[in-house]
Amino acid sequence: MSTASLAPRWVRRCLYWIGRTSFLVAGRLVWRLEVSGAERIPREGAAIIACNHISFLDPPMVGASLPRPVHFIAKQQLFEIPLLGWLILQVNAFPVRREERDVSAFKTAQRLLESGESVVLFPEGTRSRTGEIGHAKPGVGMLAYTTGALVIPTYVHNTNEMKRFKKIRVCFGAPMRFEGHRDYQHFSDAVLDEIRRMRREVQHVS
């Protein structure tokens, strides 16, 4: 889907904030959404929201919990669904082909970050079917290094239990910055380790 499918900017802004407000209200009313650490999100400048991924509900719940607009990476197949594909394009999503090394998606994320935008990324690269946190891929580290963006480790809890109406939590951790040698994998692993630590904390108090 090309950018020719984009609506005027004011329409896209309206759709984004309508969607954000709708998911925030639904999150609080239906799943008792609890957000912590939102004050750690920089109000401007490049930021990578690095999040575990256990449900299709993760992107809208994270987006609704953020105090600033954010861009999302979504699998290419979603953009091929009539109406849905057009709609998610309007609300800051861009496609990635997960079955291959998608240089175009990486460059889009890089361009957005270099422009001072924020982007939600999943360090594992795909959704966990078990709810457990898997292994990191080097992409988060590579983008953090090439753009200088802050990385905000983010943990989402119970979105995979949405049908059982369990309480959903979105937790934003302390910002991390890539420093030292160009070891993308090591940094991505460190980000995911911090998300695991946050998960243990949430499970301890749940």
Side-chain angles (χ1 to χ4, degrees):
M1 187 172 293
S2 71
T3 54
S5 302
L6 287 173
R9 188 175 181 181
W10 70 269
V11 173
R12 287 181 279 131
R13 283 185 174 181
C14 287
L15 287 172
Y16 183 92
W17 289 109
I18 289 171
R20 178 189 183 275
T21 302
S22 299
F23 276 105
L24 184 59
V25 171
R28 288 176 174 169
L29 291 179
V30 179
W31 296 289
R32 295 162 291 149
L33 173 66
E34 180 181 290
V35 180
S36 62
E39 71 280 357
R40 291 168 162 164
I41 306 297
R43 294 304 192 268
E44 57 183 24
I48 296 171
I49 313 301
C51 183
N52 64 308
H53 193 15
I54 54 177
S55 166
F56 69 87
L57 197 59
D58 297 335
M61 282 295 105
V62 172
S65 303
L66 286 165
R68 59 181 288 188
V70 68
H71 297 261
F72 307 91
I73 294 180
K75 62 182 181 180
Q76 173 66 36
Q77 291 87 336
L78 293 179
F79 292 86
E80 298 167 0
I81 300 174
L83 186 58
L84 175 63
W86 180 87
L87 182 60
I88 61 175
L89 184 68
Q90 311 310 311
V91 293
N92 295 353
F94 59 95
V96 61
R97 293 180 175 84
R98 296 190 306 187
E99 65 278 1
E100 59 187 73
R101 187 177 180 182
D102 194 338
V103 176
S104 176
F106 180 88
K107 287 185 176 180
T108 298
Q110 185 177 35
R111 175 180 55 79
L112 289 167
L113 292 168
E114 288 174 345
S115 299
E117 301 288 335
S118 59
V119 178
V120 171
L121 295 177
F122 302 113
E124 299 160 273
T126 189
R127 178 162 59 96
S128 169
R129 302 290 179 176
T130 64
E132 297 299 316
I133 297 177
H135 301 285
K137 294 188 176 181
V140 168
M142 189 178 299
L143 276 172
Y145 178 83
T146 57
T147 65
L150 281 177
V151 177
I152 315 297
T154 302
Y155 174 64
V156 292
H157 183 69
N158 276 345
T159 49
N160 58 337
E161 298 282 0
M162 57 177 293
K163 293 182 180 179
R164 298 172 65 183
F165 302 104
K166 288 193 174 183
K167 184 175 185 176
I168 290 177
R169 290 183 172 89
V170 178
C171 308
F172 299 108
M176 302 172 67
R177 190 180 293 279
F178 196 117
E179 297 178 340
H181 299 292
R182 191 172 61 179
D183 190 338
Y184 307 140
Q185 186 64 56
H186 178 77
F187 182 80
S188 295
D189 289 340
V191 172
L192 207 58
D193 284 344
E194 178 61 14
I195 296 173
R196 289 192 184 96
R197 186 195 66 76
M198 295 165 66
R199 180 176 188 254
R200 290 192 296 269
E201 283 190 354
V202 170
Q203 290 178 328
H204 180 71
V205 299
S206 296

